[in-house]
Structures are given as C-alpha cells and as structure tokens.
C-alpha cells in the first residue's frame, strides 16, 4: 500500500474521534498494529479533552507514527504530525481533569510552557465571552498552577526571609489585587508565591527577592525620625546625572529612555518603577502653608510618610510659631493639651483613676500626656478636619468629671483662692483660673492680676525658710 493512501486512511479513522460517526468503526485500526492503535485512540481522546492541546496530541501522534511508519524519515513525520494536530479542535469539550491526570501528567516544564502559550493564542482567537474561551481560560489557570508547582515548590519557600533589613513574610492570601514593588507587575496569588515586609509593607514575587536593592524604610524611620521641611527641594536632573535618584536608571523629561517623575516630598526625580504616581500629604506644605492637598510622591517616600504619620516629631513653636496666629483650631488644641497635662498628676496619684485606666483614652496619642508642643502629621490632619478637637474635648470632659465630681480624693486636692477667699474650689485646669509660676498655687484670674502683692503661698514658704535658717 502506498504511503499517501495509508496516511489518508489513518487520518480518517483515528485523528479526530469527535468527528467520527458510529459507523466508522470498520475502518479503525485496519492494517495497523493492534497495540499502537488502542494506545493512540485512548490518548487522543484525553488530549482532546485535556489542557495540553495540540502540543501533546502531536507528541503522541509522532510516537504512534514511529511505530507504524518506521521506514519514513523523522523530520517528515514531525511536520505531518504538526499539520495533523492543528486540524483538530482540542478545546471543544469540557475539561475532565481526572482523565487528564491519568493520561498526561505534564511533568516537563518546557511542555507546560508551550501548552500555556497555545492557550494564550487560543484565548485571543476565540470569540469573546464565548463558552470555549471561558473553558480555555480555566485550562490556562490550571496549567500555570502545575507549572508553578514544578518550578517553585511551595514547601521549598521559607516562611520568613531577611534581606536589606526587610523582614519578608510569606503571604497566604490568594488575592490578585497586589502589585510587585520590584517588577511593577501584578502578583497572581493563585499561582505565585509572594512576600510582604512586616516593617514597610514592601511586596514582591518570590522570584524578585534576589533583585531587591532598596533597604527597608522602617530602618530609616528608626534611625532618622525627621521630615524634610523644605517645600519640594528640587536640585535638577543634571545633579542626578539624568538618572533615577533611587535605582540609577537613565531617565529624561521627554520619556526617552524612561519618563522622569518628580517626588514632591524629596524634590528628586525617579523612574516609573520607583515612582508610581502615588499621592500623599507633604509635611512641609502643611507646616508652612497649612495645605493638605495630596501630592505625587515616589514609592519610598510614600512608605516613609506612612510610617512617620503618627510620630510626634514636629515642634511647631520652633518651626513655624506664626501658625498659631492664623489657625484657631491649633490654639484650642494647645489649651486642651495643657489642661490634660495639669490633670495628669491627679490621675497618677489616684487609685480609682489608675484602676479605671483613664489615661488610656489617649493611648493613640501618648505624647499628649507627655508634652504640649510636639505634634505628629496625623495630629495636624485631624486638627484641620475637626476630628481632633471633638475627640480631645470629649476626653477633657471625662477627665474633669472624674476630678471635680466623681472622685472625693481628687476633689480634696483642689484650691481655695487665698486672695479673695471666696467662691468654689478651684482646679488648675479651670478656664477662669491662674497659676503661680513658682509654687503652682491656683487663684481666680481676676484676683491674681489685680493683686499687686506677692503670692500668699510663696510668702509663707519664704518665711518658713527664713525661720529654718535662723533656728537650725
């Protein structure tokens, strides 16, 4: 029998089992070895329903042809096998993964890569939103999972890695809404291992770990807790040698070879991999202009500002004391903070206040019970929005209620005005009182400023000291 005739009969009987009618069984396997035909028939069904597509079909066809037509050359067989495989619709039926795994456990990375590329091609060629396209997408996902399993076994990845002061922890989330900070591509949580730094929240693929050259921003916060207080201190691209200020990639304002993007916080220029056009409130603009409009900053500046947000490092009366003359809310906040500092001695000497943990009302702003002149950027943002004034007034009321009404021991630590010797018990945080700067005695404000004599309490203390000196 001639070669072409045998090949035609072979194609008609075996190549596309989905297109064969029920009456074609008479032609199956004629003049072919029994074992080779049965093997091919089983495998061709599996490959037509499986995920490896025509690449796997061609491999099986080539194997069978080598048994049947051993006299033909290897190159001709390979070409005809490829032609034969392309004639089939291997993705025309739903996926039966049990059969696929039983017949074709694709352990070869190269085969899987080729099958993935074929799936991608078919997804683009198939009608959009069609059932075939959806099935092909599912197959592509399973192929990628299998490839990831072979190339990057999960059990080989450590749960914690330390690199450039980053402490990377393996993520268990399967979300696909994350972006790798190194390669700027999407992290496919279903098929890729990825890590997040527990300090600065830097995210990256497992494969990008060894390419990271940016140290952890939290280390900078720990060693250098201060802001750049000049507004966008630009130095120019020439000072940067027309390179990214962080990764040193060549950049240009014309976008050739890479677009230069300015960070409003540092004033320097960065490439698109280091500057994603993220926005953040810039401290210098807040302090000098009382401006809270978010500006574009680079990735490292964004993380630094986020970590520094709640740190009280801004001493406003030294940086810009005139700000209190133009922002009434700051004056109110300062008065409330001064009153809380005057209430603090009552609480630390009161057993009931310690048991009630009253000072924990300010646990998110611990510096409010330590001083009255240090501010965090978050304090200024909340002051501008009015949130801080409301919450601090409420806390102030709770503290005053404990001292003046609820606790008898704290009430007993009040003062009587020794100048007029009239009126109710006074406390240093009352709005109508004044405090002696030397002995901290409390008086009515009007009495204190109208009286030209010295403080009665200071006079008694001075007299006592003189008596002690005369009678040692």
């Amino acid at each position: 029998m001639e070669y072409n005739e045998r090949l035609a009969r072979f194609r008609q009987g075996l190549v596309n089992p989905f297109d064969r009618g029920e009456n074609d069984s008479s032609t199956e396997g004629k003049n072919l070895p029994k074992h080779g035909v049965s093997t091919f028939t089983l495998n061709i069904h599996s490959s037509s329903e499986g995920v490896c597509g025509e690449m796997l079909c061609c491999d099986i066809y080539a194997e069978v042809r080598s048994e049947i037509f051993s006299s033909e050359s290897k190159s001709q067989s390979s070409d005809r096998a490829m032609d034969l495989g392309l004639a089939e619709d291997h993705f025309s039926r739903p996926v039966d993964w049990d059969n696929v795994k039983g017949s074709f456990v694709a352990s070869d990375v190269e085969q899987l890569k080729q099958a993935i590329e074929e799936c991608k091609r078919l997804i683009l060629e198939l009608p959009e939103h069609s059932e075939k396209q959806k099935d092909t997408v599912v197959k592509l996902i399973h192929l990628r999972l299998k490839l990831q399993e072979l190339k990057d076994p999960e059990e080989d990845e450590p749960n914690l890695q330390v690199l450039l002061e980053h402490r990377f922890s393996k993520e268990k989330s399967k979300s696909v809404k994350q972006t790798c900070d190194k390669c700027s591509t999407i992290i496919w949580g279903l098929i890729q291992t990825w890590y997040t730094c527990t300090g600065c929240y830097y995210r990256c693929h497992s494969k990008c770990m060894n390419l990271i050259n940016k140290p952890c921003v939290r280390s900078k916060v720990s060693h250098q807790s201060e802001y750049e207080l000049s507004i966008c201190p630009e130095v120019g691209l020439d000072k940067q040698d027309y390179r990214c200020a962080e990764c040193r990639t060549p950049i240009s304002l014309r976008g050739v070879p890479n677009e230069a993007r300015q960070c409003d916080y540092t004033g320097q220029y960065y490439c698109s991999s280091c500057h994603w056009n993220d926005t953040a409130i810039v401290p210098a603009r807040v302090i000098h202009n009382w401006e809270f409009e978010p500006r574009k900053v680079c990735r490292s500046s964004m993380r630094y500002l986020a970590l520094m947000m709640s740190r009280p490092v801004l001493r406003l009366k030294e940086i810009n004391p005139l700000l209190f003359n133009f922002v009434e809310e700051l004056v109110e906040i300062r008065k409330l903070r001064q009153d809380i500092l005057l209430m603090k001695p009552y609480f630390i000497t009161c057993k009931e206040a310690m048991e009630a943990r009253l000072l924990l009302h300010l646990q998110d702003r611990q510096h409010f019970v330590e001083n009255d002149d240090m501010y965090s950027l978050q304090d200024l943002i909340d002051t501008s929005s009015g949130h801080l004034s409301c919450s601090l007034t409420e806390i102030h009321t709770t503290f005053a209620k404990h001292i003046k009404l609820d606790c008898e021991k704290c009430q007993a630590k009040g003062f009587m005005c020794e100048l007029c010797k009239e009126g109710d018990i006074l406390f240093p945080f009352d709005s109508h009182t004044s405090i002696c700067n030397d002995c901290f005695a409390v008086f009515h404000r009007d009495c204190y400023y109208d009286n030209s004599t010295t403080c009665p309490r200071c006079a008694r203390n001075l007299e006592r000291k003189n008596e002690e000196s005369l009678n040692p």
Side-chain angles (χ1 to χ4, degrees), residues 149-420:
E149 216 175 279
L150 295 176
K151 292 179 60 180
D152 207 10
E154 186 175 352
E155 56 270 17
D156 294 341
E157 296 288 346
N159 291 325
L160 184 66
Q161 297 192 49
V162 180
L163 180 67
L164 295 176
E165 300 189 31
H166 291 281
R167 291 182 61 83
F168 285 108
S169 176
K170 184 193 290 186
E171 288 290 347
K172 297 180 180 179
S173 171
K174 301 302 182 182
S175 171
V176 297
K177 296 182 180 179
Q178 306 296 342
T179 304
C180 178
D181 284 300
K182 177 58 185 176
C183 63
S184 305
T185 59
I186 293 177
I187 298 174
W188 296 93
L190 286 172
I191 61 176
Q192 293 175 320
T193 304
W194 59 291
Y195 287 81
T196 299
C197 175
T198 57
C200 65
Y201 307 107
Y202 186 99
R203 289 183 288 265
C204 69
H205 296 102
S206 173
K207 63 182 181 181
C208 297
M209 290 281 289
N210 295 329
L211 304 177
I212 296 174
N213 53 12
K214 302 174 184 177
C216 182
V217 177
R218 182 170 287 277
S219 63
K220 181 181 177 182
V221 172
S222 302
H223 303 150
Q224 185 185 2
S225 296
E226 58 182 13
Y227 286 117
E228 170 61 57
L229 297 179
S230 299
I231 297 177
C232 195
E234 182 179 358
V235 296
L237 268 176
D238 56 337
K239 295 291 185 180
Q240 297 180 205
D241 196 24
Y242 292 92
R243 293 180 179 273
C244 173
E246 192 163 334
C247 67
R248 307 306 296 167
T249 300
I251 55 177
S252 170
L253 291 176
R254 296 184 299 174
V256 179
N258 201 351
E259 178 188 4
R261 299 177 179 177
Q262 187 180 32
C263 173
D264 195 81
Y265 174 67
T266 64
Q268 296 179 310
Y269 290 87
Y270 299 81
C271 65
S272 57
S273 297
C274 300
H275 193 315
W276 295 5
N277 287 329
D278 299 301
T279 58
I281 296 175
V282 180
R285 295 185 179 274
V286 173
I287 295 173
H288 296 295
N289 298 342
W290 200 244
E291 177 190 342
F292 294 89
E293 181 184 354
R295 302 283 180 149
K296 292 182 179 180
V297 295
C298 65
R299 295 291 290 176
S300 59
S301 294
M302 184 195 67
R303 291 194 186 89
Y304 183 79
L305 293 174
L307 293 174
M308 287 284 290
M309 183 69 72
S310 59
R311 287 182 172 253
V313 296
L314 298 172
R315 194 183 297 272
L316 293 185
K317 68 179 183 180
E318 293 183 0
I319 302 172
N320 185 12
L322 295 178
L323 194 61
F324 290 92
N325 297 338
F326 296 94
V327 183
E328 295 180 1
E329 294 87 349
L330 281 177
V331 178
E332 181 183 358
I333 296 298
R334 181 173 61 181
K335 180 62 172 68
L336 291 171
R337 291 183 62 177
Q338 290 172 348
D339 288 350
I340 289 173
L341 289 177
L342 294 173
M343 296 176 183
K344 180 181 176 180
Y346 287 86
F347 295 145
I348 62 178
T349 56
C350 176
K351 183 178 180 181
E352 293 182 8
M354 295 298 289
E355 290 177 351
R357 299 175 178 264
L358 289 178
L359 289 176
L360 287 182
H361 284 81
L362 290 168
Q363 61 181 346
D364 293 335
R365 291 182 168 92
Q366 191 65 32
H367 53 286
F368 279 17
V369 295
E370 297 173 355
N371 56 70
D372 64 348
D373 59 345
M374 299 298 291
Y375 293 82
S376 67
L377 182 60
Q378 188 64 56
D379 294 337
L380 301 181
I381 295 173
D382 292 341
T383 299
S384 176
S385 65
H387 173 73
L388 181 59
S389 178
C390 293
S391 61
L392 208 56
T393 301
E394 184 178 346
I395 294 172
H396 184 280
T397 303
T398 302
F399 287 0
K401 181 175 179 293
H402 171 84
I403 296 172
K404 301 177 72 172
L405 299 176
D406 297 343
C407 181
E408 294 181 357
K409 293 181 179 179
C410 291
Q411 290 180 37
K413 297 175 184 178
F415 294 83
M416 287 293 295
C417 180
E418 297 187 38
L419 296 176
C420 69

Side-chain angles (χ1 to χ4, degrees), residues 438-470:
D438 297 325
C439 67
F440 303 106
V442 182
F443 308 94
H444 290 114
R445 180 176 298 173
D446 295 338
C447 298
Y448 186 73
Y449 286 107
D450 291 344
N451 193 299
S452 59
T453 61
T454 59
C455 169
R457 188 174 180 182
C458 291
R460 286 197 306 271
N461 291 337
L462 181 60
E463 184 179 353
R464 188 181 298 112
K465 288 182 180 179
N466 291 335
E467 290 178 358
E468 291 178 355
S469 63
L470 294 175

Side-chain angles (χ1 to χ4, degrees), residues 31-83:
N31 296 328
L32 294 175
K34 183 176 181 180
H35 175 72
V37 172
S38 61
T39 303
F40 180 79
T41 304
L42 171 65
N43 288 345
I44 199 68
H45 273 277
S46 299
S47 65
S48 63
E49 296 179 358
V51 297
C52 296
E54 58 195 31
M55 180 271 300
L56 292 177
C57 176
C58 294
D59 289 343
I60 297 168
Y61 173 71
E63 181 181 348
V64 174
R65 283 200 54 181
S66 64
E67 296 179 8
I68 301 174
F69 308 113
S70 55
S71 60
E72 297 295 327
S73 65
K74 187 175 182 179
S75 59
Q76 289 179 339
S77 298
S78 177
D79 294 338
R80 292 192 177 98
M82 185 60 70
D83 294 338

